[in-house]
Amino acid sequence: MADIFSYCNWTDLKFKIAVLAVAFNPLFWNIVGRWEHRTRSLTKLFGSPFTACYSVAATILLLNVYRSHSFTEAMKIQPKLQLFESPAAFYVGFGLLLVGTLFVLSSFFALGFIGTFLGDYFGVLMEAKVLTFPFNIMENPMYWGSTLNYLGLAIMNASPTGIVLTAWVAAVYKVAILFESSRDWISEQGVLFVDSLGVCRELECESPRLRSQV
């Protein structure tokens, strides 16, 4: 790992931008989601919780596109790792990318658009806890699927910088999961906001509807 770190130019501007972009996205949707839950300001502004949710979803998607772009740009200008410049490494990376994409897409289809993009923060609740694949085999599959995508891209591009940034992605998601699973925030329906992607926990719940959130 120390050798991988030595490949990185920590002072490069594009590397710093990628680091900031990775950290900003979960911070954005957690702050905006909790602010909306407490104030309903976006719902009032747009006149509908659905319209407000779609607007935030569009912003999150654009931020994710920029994060991926920043990640790719940071890899391009940094040295490559000769160990990974082989067909075998490329196919390993491609395999990780496929598995990550499977987790991300299957999570999206299981949760639906509203369920994926903070619907519960806007008061749009799902009728039941999501128990289908991939939530039946792991927690937080969209987060870890996204992490696998970045790791796959890093290996396919023989980029030690990409591996370092992937580790940063995983660390940021881990912090987000801990933040989202905190038990000090209970909704007015008495349902604890999920740990993360669709894994709900109940506490003195009187409502038959459970939340599922990105």
Side-chain angles (χ1 to χ4, degrees), residues 16-166:
K16 292 179 179 179
I17 290 174
V19 169
L20 291 175
V22 167
F24 179 77
N25 287 17
L27 182 66
F28 170 81
W29 67 61
N30 274 291
I31 290 176
V32 170
R34 294 198 175 200
W35 172 65
E36 168 61 17
H37 174 71
R38 291 192 173 99
T39 68
R40 291 291 184 260
S41 296
L42 294 176
T43 296
K44 294 173 185 176
L45 175 64
F46 288 98
S48 163
F50 291 96
T51 305
C53 184
Y54 290 141
S55 300
V56 171
T59 303
I60 292 173
L61 286 171
L62 289 174
L63 287 172
N64 285 344
V65 169
Y66 182 74
R67 176 181 61 180
S68 297
H69 171 74
S70 300
F71 188 98
T72 303
E73 289 298 306
M75 287 195 300
K76 283 181 180 179
I77 61 172
Q78 302 260 3
K80 293 185 179 295
L81 190 61
Q82 188 174 3
L83 176 65
F84 289 164
E85 291 187 306
S86 68
F90 179 88
Y91 288 121
V92 168
F94 185 70
L96 291 172
L97 183 62
L98 288 179
V99 173
T101 301
L102 173 64
F103 283 147
V104 170
L105 291 181
S106 58
S107 298
F108 176 80
F109 288 122
L111 294 172
F113 190 89
I114 293 292
T116 298
F117 291 103
L118 311 180
D120 54 349
Y121 289 96
F122 292 85
V124 182
L125 308 181
M126 300 185 72
E127 294 297 328
K129 179 179 177 179
V130 177
L131 297 173
T132 56
F133 180 85
F135 296 98
N136 60 345
I137 64 169
M138 68 183 304
E139 295 185 359
N140 318 303
M142 190 170 286
Y143 283 164
W144 302 128
S146 177
T147 303
L148 284 177
N149 285 343
Y150 285 117
L151 180 59
L153 285 173
I155 294 175
M156 290 172 67
N157 286 276
S159 174
T161 297
I163 293 175
V164 170
L165 287 173
T166 299

